[in-house]
Amino acid sequence: MSYNTAPLVVVMGVSGSGKTTVGQLLAQHLDVPYTEGDDFHPAPNVAKMRAGHPLHDEDRRPWLDKIAHWLVGQADSGGVVTCSALKRRYRDRLASAAPHVFFLHLDGSPELIAARITARQGHFMPPDLLRTQFADLEPLGDDEAGAAIPIDGTPQQTAALAHAAVTSS
């Protein structure tokens, strides 16, 4: 993908895959704004997840709409936003709003990600919901602009792989 403007990237993957850390590092490397997709969740969604209940498509609709709106606002200047974007139809919704978006899937084993979730502090997503996220995860299709990046290295190594994927596309 060639850019007339700065890259517009959605860092996607299941909870605990490192979206926030890698997204922040990638935005620094690209010199574009970063925003945390979790901040777009309405309070009822956060409460539902905190209580250990998975979100359904209807729960995600207003969240995805807000992220799509942010992407539209960043279309000329570029940006990086985190969003699980687990299902193809969610990515299609975001890509319909911002056709030049690049999806960066942070890909790791359930065991690695479960260990990371267990070790982190202060996040609303309980480890028990990880299996529902992996069940919902639909890998990027060949016709989607994006790349899957392995997360088994350090955050800096993963961000370097992410930067290479975005800038070479």
Side-chain angles (χ1 to χ4, degrees):
M1 172 183 291
S2 62
Y3 293 97
N4 295 330
T5 60
L8 191 58
V9 181
V10 171
V11 179
M12 61 166 282
V14 298
S15 183
S17 60
K19 294 184 298 290
T20 298
T21 301
V22 173
Q24 290 170 339
L25 290 169
L26 179 61
Q28 289 171 3
H29 287 302
L30 295 172
D31 195 27
V32 296
Y34 167 82
T35 196
E36 173 59 53
D38 283 344
D39 292 344
F40 293 106
H41 273 299
N45 282 10
V46 174
K48 189 173 184 177
M49 287 183 283
R50 195 180 303 273
H53 303 290
L55 297 180
H56 300 290
D57 287 353
E58 190 55 32
D59 298 322
R60 289 186 179 97
R61 188 184 50 75
W63 174 63
L64 289 167
D65 288 346
K66 289 178 183 179
I67 292 172
H69 181 76
W70 185 87
L71 288 167
V72 168
Q74 298 301 126
D76 291 334
S77 59
V80 174
V81 63
T82 57
C83 174
S84 55
L86 299 175
K87 295 182 180 180
R88 171 69 187 250
R89 68 178 161 268
Y90 304 161
R91 296 188 300 272
D92 286 347
R93 166 68 186 101
L94 298 176
S96 71
H100 299 294
V101 70
F102 186 87
F103 294 97
L104 192 65
H105 175 199
L106 300 185
D107 191 22
S109 72
E111 297 79 17
L112 173 63
I113 295 173
R116 288 181 178 185
I117 287 178
T118 301
R120 76 180 176 184
Q121 303 290 315
H123 194 273
F124 58 80
M125 179 68 113
D128 294 345
L129 288 182
L130 183 59
R131 70 176 169 70
T132 67
Q133 290 216 324
F134 270 106
D136 284 349
L137 178 62
E138 296 171 2
L140 289 170
D142 291 340
D143 61 333
E144 290 182 274
I149 301 297
I151 61 165
D152 49 356
T154 67
Q156 292 76 16
Q157 290 168 328
T158 303
L161 292 171
H163 184 261
V166 170
T167 58
S168 68
S169 61

